[in-house]
Amino acid sequence: MSHQNSNPKVSVDKVNLDVACSHAEENGFSDPTPAFDSEKAIYEYLHQPPFRTSDDHLVEFSEALRTVAKALRRVAEGKAAAQAEAAEWKRKYELERAHNLQLRNKALSLEGCHNLSKDLKLDNSSSQLMVQNPTMEQSEKCCGKHGICSHEILRDEDMNANSKLAGRRVARKASFRLSWGCNGDKSGQHKHDIVSFEKGNITTAERSSTQILLKWESQPQTVLILTKPNSTSVRLLCAEMVRWLKEHKNINVFVEPRVMTELLTESPYFRFVQTWEDDEEIKFLHTKVDLVVTLGGDGTVLWAASLFKGPVPPVVPFSLGSLGFMTPFQSEHYRDCLDTILKGPISITLRHRLQCQVIREAAKDELETEEPILVLNEVTIDRGISSYLTYLECYCDSSFVTLVQGDGLILSTTSGSTAYSLAAGGSMVHPQVPGILFTPICPHSLSFRPLILPEYVTLRVQVPFNSRGHAWASFDGKDRKQLAAGDALICSMAPWPVPTACQVDSTNDFLRSIHEGLHWNLRKSQSFDGPRDS
């Protein structure tokens, strides 16, 4: 057999070359190069080793993607910082506006009283009352020596004409004063601000390391009662408490619409009880209610706190649930407890709340951001039903903290340190300590230990673009929201704490709750007749 027949690949290449040359001649193209040289060049090209491409362009492409990711992250950081600053300026503007409105209303009321006294020519008794007014005004001013005093007698705010509460008679809010010290002793601590008093609403000013006392300057007139649903014993106790407050204390009572229906079903006697019909009326509850009474467990306290998106009146929690970390009062002695609380002074615990806001990656401006959510226990970011680990970037005041790879992350208040954070391995912290707990959930790292951060920081948890799956955020165990790639969750300490009444004091109630609820450090004691040091 000939050599040409022994190499079929060369024969095929030569045939392909002849066909290509014939097509070129048919199309009118002519090659000045001799046919032999062309055939040789093509033959060498076909038989040269395959070209091995380099991976340099892939490396450059990955670096370009990394640069784009960093740029997107910087844009998200700047956006979050700008929105946080805008929210703070908005809050300051609203406080200033409310203060100016208050001064204007006070000036109008003084002018109206002056015109009325001039027109009606008040008698001697009225004149005597007018003479006593300067003394009353001086007594209402803060002396600066006994804590923080209310600067005025609080009155109802003006509402829209179409408001449901406009036509109802509601008593004015009771004023009170907060003082501090060990067991009522000021201990020279009056120079430190603990809370600020603005229109009868408690807001956080500075952290406090001493017990806070609440003393009423005028008698409370309105009580809001919130109950645990689907409980016969709670429903009977609520009806009994409402009757006692009206007949023996002459106090106005607010209840939820569900409870109002239950009371009217039981007896038409409870027609004096007031309620609300829509969410717009709930926004004004803090301007009408002097005291909140909860009948249930810690979940009922969380529900009570969620009703107030801003300032929260003092809360008196009665224990009618399973665990009672925030419910120190026993329902069997509610008359004595309420008698003591209505007379005052009482010890209170300022339970701080977290203000959380979800910022979507697709949001064009801050007008598209979602409404902030206030939590009393914790906000949890987990992987939901996804089989992949969560991959979260965490920042503290624009400083990088860590990457969370695990089942999730818990941002908890100190009041919530005995809840989900405790189950995930976090520390138990006194509720009066103002801080934010940073607790991972099943981290895929042996060195990932929980943190406790100061209360003034702003935390941002962001789902990076290279995350394998989405994350889910839940707020006090509800209002679950999905976080896609590029979405972020901003958390900071809310300016409105939840003041809860103490049975003894904050420390005593906290230690009793972990002893009774968790049986903390419960162990059989050593025998006294064992071996001893010689």
Side-chain angles (χ1 to χ4, degrees), residues 228 230-240 262-263 266:
K228 178 177 69 173
N230 305 322
S231 176
T232 304
S233 59
V234 171
R235 184 169 64 252
L236 295 177
L237 177 62
C238 177
E240 181 182 346
E262 295 174 355
L263 292 176
E266 180 179 346

Side-chain angles (χ1 to χ4, degrees), residues 31-74:
D31 191 358
T33 308
F36 177 77
D37 294 342
S38 301
E39 181 179 355
K40 182 179 179 181
I42 296 175
Y43 180 81
E44 292 178 354
Y45 173 76
L46 292 174
H47 288 79
Q48 68 180 1
F51 179 72
R52 296 182 180 178
T53 59
S54 175
D55 292 337
D56 292 342
H57 66 287
L58 295 178
V59 175
E60 294 177 358
F61 182 69
S62 63
E63 291 180 354
L65 288 180
R66 191 175 296 109
T67 303
V68 172
K70 290 181 179 179
L72 291 175
R73 186 181 304 135
R74 285 195 294 268

